[in-house]
Amino acid sequence: MSLQDYSRSEQLLVEAELMLKTTPSAELRADVALAYSTLSNTLGKHELARQYAEEGIAALAPGKALPMRVRLLRNLARALTLLGELDEARDALDEALNIVEGVVDPKLRSELHLEAARLARTRGDRQGVETNTARALDLAGQLKNSQLSGLAHELLGLAAMDAGDRETAEREMAIAHASFRGLGLARDELRVVREQVSVKLMSEPARQRLGADPEPPAGAGGGRLQQRPRIRLG
């Protein structure tokens, strides 16, 4: 998130809080908590993100504002995953997935399956990653949403990296990179480029990774500098 985006978000949240003082509203309070939770997760303040998500959920009456409740549960699950509380994260996601069945919002359902895939990856469950990304990709295809598709392929690439499957990782990262580049999503594209570099380095010998010159052949004198191997980014 850029400094400009952060400042704008902060300004909007302050305005919403001022509105709450004059016109109390449970849904607006939950919406503000959702925004603070999202911002906190983005800034790496995951305990704070958890607290805001829980406050937002507590503000909503049972059975009301279901899409917002699902988003709060999604944020809660993400914060819990990053805090290492995986069983609690799974509970939050299960609740969100149950609720979203009654909500006509395929984008939100796709986002939940991406979150479930992230949790599965943290658990080392590659099959869980593949199952949830397949569902997310199906929904993203219906929506023609390239960003969701790119995120799903990125997760598949990361799970393949974790498993030492370089070929699959390269393929999935290339698809993700093309998706983000086509949409002009510079931050997502840069993140995937870094991941592609990691994939390229997975099985290269240490001398190549360090860019060291190979041993000169016998009689060559060793006086000529050798060209460093280049890393191609797909």
Side-chain angles (χ1 to χ4, degrees):
M1 176 181 288
S2 69
L3 181 60
Q4 183 178 3
D5 289 340
Y6 175 82
S7 299
R8 177 61 177 158
S9 298
E10 190 175 36
Q11 179 185 346
L12 290 172
L13 287 169
V14 169
E15 291 173 1
E17 286 190 285
L18 289 173
M19 189 183 300
L20 273 172
K21 291 180 180 179
T22 57
T23 312
S25 164
E27 290 191 18
L28 180 57
R29 185 174 299 280
D31 201 14
V32 169
L34 174 63
Y36 273 123
S37 176
T38 299
L39 189 59
S40 298
N41 265 331
T42 301
L43 296 174
K45 299 181 181 296
H46 306 304
E47 181 57 43
L48 199 56
R50 169 190 186 166
Q51 292 172 18
Y52 279 123
E54 290 174 339
E55 286 177 16
I57 292 167
L60 292 173
K64 301 294 184 181
L66 295 181
M68 191 182 301
R69 183 181 294 276
V70 169
R71 289 182 174 90
L72 285 160
L73 286 165
R74 176 202 62 198
N75 280 19
L76 177 59
R78 179 173 301 180
L80 289 167
T81 298
L82 293 168
L83 289 168
E85 299 181 31
L86 304 186
D87 290 339
E88 292 85 348
R90 180 72 261 177
D91 290 342
L93 269 178
D94 285 344
E95 184 179 349
L97 287 164
N98 286 333
I99 295 172
V100 85
E101 291 299 322
V103 177
V104 183
D105 192 335
K107 182 175 183 292
L108 183 54
R109 289 177 61 194
S110 181
E111 290 171 354
L112 283 180
H113 284 298
L114 288 175
E115 208 59 55
R118 292 186 185 101
L119 175 59
R121 183 195 170 214
T122 302
R123 288 182 175 276
D125 177 10
R126 189 178 181 184
Q127 182 59 54
V129 174
E130 292 173 351
T131 298
N132 281 287
T133 51
R135 292 170 181 165
L137 283 167
D138 181 54
L139 292 161
Q142 295 174 33
L143 294 166
K144 295 182 171 52
N145 189 313
S146 297
Q147 184 179 16
L148 290 173
S149 296
L151 290 168
H153 284 291
E154 181 185 6
L155 277 166
L156 286 168
L158 290 169
M161 282 179 62
D162 295 340
D165 182 352
R166 177 175 173 174
E167 181 179 351
T168 300
E170 286 183 328
R171 181 180 68 248
E172 297 296 340
M173 288 299 183
I175 297 170
H177 180 262
S179 296
F180 297 142
R181 187 172 188 178
L183 292 170
L185 299 173
R187 187 177 65 176
D188 290 336
E189 182 185 356
L190 180 59
R191 182 183 66 248
V192 171
V193 166
R194 293 191 185 108
E195 291 160 354
Q196 285 180 298
V197 171
S198 296
V199 173
K200 293 292 185 184
L201 297 178
M202 279 174 64
S203 60
E204 290 185 3
R207 290 181 63 83
Q208 282 188 297
R209 289 202 303 270
L210 296 172
D213 296 337
E215 293 293 336
R224 206 161 39 125
L225 291 175
Q226 302 294 323
Q227 186 178 7
R228 280 186 167 192
R230 294 181 180 179
I231 298 173
R232 298 181 60 192
L233 299 180

